[in-house]
Amino acid sequence: VLLFQREEGAVSSESHAPWVKNVLLLVGTIVLQELQVAGFFHRGIFSVAIAVVGLWGLIQEAPSNRLKICWVVSTWSLAIFPLLPTAAGEVTSLVWLGGIILAVLTYVMLSPRISSRFRTAGFSATVPTSFTYRQNFQLLLLLLSSYLVYDTESSLYFNQGLPIVNQILSILTLSFSLLSLGFLPPQVHYYDGILYIISCLAAPFILLSISYEVFFYLALGAVLLCWCYMERSLSLSQNLARPHDIMYLEDTRVVLFYMLFCWLAFFGTGNVMGISSFEISSTYRFMTVFQPFTMAALLILKIFLPFAMVASAFGIVIATREISVTGSFYAVVAITDVMSVTLFYFVQDYGSWKEIGVSIGHFAGVNAFILFHILLFGLYRLLFRHGINTDLPSSVDAEKPKGL
């Protein structure tokens, strides 16, 4: 990957000592990258990494104090989850309660009084009526998902089995929510786009949750929403205007944030490499008779949903920052390669079978992430195939994802 310096005509508050900035970026890149590697062995280290990212927002000059507070609160809330036990048991009250809170917060964020804060004063594009109806209907599906979790769990608790009506409604809710992702309006505003994606992915995630995972999803969604707005504020303050086919050294920070959020989605509620961390009871809203392939597909879908949300936010950020899509793709691959080399030296050929298997699993998992990363980029291009309105003065453009 070729990382270029800013051109002499570009605005930079630290242009007096560019080498200092470059050294700090290099050191920060190495530190954050190695923290992610260490997190494979101790999940709590991801809490340290995301807490450091939260402090990063405090030292930025562009965002407002209100945004800084939201950024710190959301990141530090997310930092709690890697510290929680992976086997928390079934606490369905947390699931339906989290679903209701998520629906209420989404409704508040979609209200004109709040959503107007995320748009510039000159933004005049109107949201299509059909899209508004889908947004409101998705809120109803969030409430329906919470009710289905509560009612189905009550029925199973009293040994009444899975009600056929609940099963049908669960399948329809999951199918409609996932299919709705493909109907974002052309030139969708980044704020409407990320909120709609979060709500569409939330309904299936609620149906597949059994404990505090919904609150993890809520915290991750809040961080990603703040991240999109934070990067937009930085773009406005730095007056970015550059070719779309160039990636600068400072853009590695965005790539590292994306990878950190991916690993948090990976380890936030358990070790995905050990599929046993995901209870089979997660599928009881859809079936109670043991069907290994269908249940495995549902568990994999549950794992994939937070990744899809992270990939969508990353797509909005690289459009807002006018970062090269090709450059960001290969930057992720390059950093992942460095992580895989580091983990290669931790592969053991001695000790218990568990220790050997875990070390090999970490190395194989990081390498598999490169292939998974291709799917995430493909998903981002599919969702925003009609363009993104980044609401920037320099890009009234509705940025379209460019080919890799």
Side-chain angles (χ1 to χ4, degrees):
V1 181
L2 296 179
L3 303 175
F4 296 87
Q5 303 296 329
R6 282 196 179 279
E7 298 178 0
E8 295 180 359
V11 177
S12 177
S13 60
E14 301 179 17
S15 58
H16 299 290
W19 66 270
V20 175
K21 179 180 179 181
N22 294 338
V23 170
L24 290 177
L25 282 171
L26 180 60
V27 172
T29 298
I30 295 174
V31 170
L32 189 56
Q33 179 177 285
E34 293 307 313
L35 280 176
Q36 294 180 46
V37 172
F40 278 72
F41 303 94
H42 305 284
R43 289 174 58 236
I45 295 180
F46 284 115
S47 298
V48 177
I50 192 63
V52 172
V53 170
L55 293 176
W56 164 84
L58 291 178
I59 63 176
Q60 304 302 310
E61 297 180 0
S64 63
N65 292 331
R66 186 177 299 176
L67 177 58
K68 291 181 181 180
I69 293 174
C70 293
W71 174 257
V72 172
V73 171
S74 60
T75 51
W76 288 6
S77 298
L78 184 60
I80 296 174
F81 292 94
L83 301 175
L84 299 178
T86 57
E90 294 187 44
V91 190
T92 51
S93 58
L94 292 178
V95 179
W96 59 261
L97 179 61
I100 294 175
I101 294 175
L102 182 60
V104 172
L105 290 179
T106 305
Y107 175 78
V108 172
M109 297 301 290
L110 287 173
S111 64
R113 182 178 179 180
I114 301 298
S115 61
S116 61
R117 299 177 182 271
F118 292 84
R119 296 179 172 87
T120 58
F123 183 81
S124 59
T126 57
V127 179
T129 304
S130 59
F131 182 62
T132 302
Y133 288 154
R134 291 203 303 272
Q135 286 178 314
N136 295 331
F137 186 70
Q138 201 60 47
L139 293 178
L140 295 178
L141 290 183
L142 291 179
L143 296 175
L144 176 61
S145 300
S146 302
Y147 171 75
L148 290 174
V149 170
Y150 171 80
D151 189 63
T152 301
E153 184 61 26
S154 299
S155 179
L156 294 176
Y157 180 80
F158 291 107
N159 296 320
Q160 297 176 355
L162 174 62
I164 185 64
V165 175
N166 289 15
Q167 183 181 23
I168 294 174
L169 288 176
S170 296
I171 295 174
L172 291 177
T173 300
L174 182 144
S175 302
F176 181 85
S177 297
L178 296 182
L179 291 175
S180 296
L181 289 171
F183 295 96
L184 285 171
Q187 319 303 347
V188 62
H189 190 273
Y190 79 95
Y191 178 76
D192 295 319
I194 189 63
L195 267 185
Y196 183 71
I197 290 172
I198 290 174
S199 61
C200 284
L201 296 175
F205 195 81
I206 292 171
L207 292 172
L208 291 168
S209 299
I210 60 172
S211 185
Y212 60 82
E213 304 103 298
V214 177
F215 286 93
F216 166 77
Y217 184 92
L218 177 61
L220 181 60
V223 170
L224 295 176
L225 181 61
C226 290
W227 185 37
C228 292
Y229 191 60
M230 179 81 74
E231 297 292 351
R232 177 182 171 276
S233 299
L234 293 176
S235 298
L236 285 171
S237 65
Q238 296 171 358
N239 191 22
L240 290 179
R242 59 186 184 182
H244 292 282
D245 57 348
I246 290 181
M247 185 173 181
Y248 297 98
L249 182 60
E250 62 196 44
D251 296 332
T252 55
R253 174 187 57 78
V254 175
V255 174
L256 283 172
F257 280 12
Y258 162 69
M259 294 188 65
L260 176 60
F261 295 144
C262 280
W263 294 126
L264 279 167
F266 205 72
F267 289 102
T269 57
N271 186 348
V272 179
M273 293 178 186
I275 196 67
S276 59
S277 297
F278 293 84
E279 298 286 344
I280 198 173
S281 56
S282 299
T283 64
Y284 284 175
R285 285 101 203 189
F286 300 91
M287 63 193 68
T288 53
V289 179
F290 182 69
Q291 299 180 23
F293 295 104
T294 306
M295 288 181 169
L298 290 172
L299 288 176
I300 292 173
L301 175 63
K302 178 185 176 182
I303 295 170
F304 180 74
L305 293 176
F307 284 101
M309 184 168 57
V310 174
S312 302
F314 182 58
I316 292 174
V317 169
I318 61 178
T320 302
R321 300 284 295 178
E322 299 182 356
I323 299 175
S324 166
V325 177
T326 305
S328 60
F329 175 83
Y330 286 115
V332 173
V333 173
I335 294 174
T336 306
D337 283 339
V338 176
M339 292 179 63
S340 67
V341 171
T342 305
L343 288 170
F344 175 76
Y345 288 99
F346 287 98
V347 174
Q348 298 181 199
D349 58 356
Y350 58 88
S352 65
W353 285 108
K354 180 181 178 180
E355 293 173 344
I356 296 174
V358 168
S359 64
I360 295 175
H362 288 164
F363 174 70
V366 171
N367 283 278
F369 177 74
I370 297 176
L371 299 177
F372 188 58
H373 172 61
I374 298 175
L375 296 178
L376 293 180
F377 258 65
L379 176 65
Y380 146 65
R381 293 183 60 199
L382 176 63
L383 294 181
F384 295 109
R385 63 189 182 277
H386 299 304
I388 309 171
N389 193 321
T390 57
D391 196 7
L392 293 173
S394 60
S395 68
V396 179
D397 66 336
E399 178 75 13
K400 287 189 177 180
K402 297 173 176 57
L404 298 179

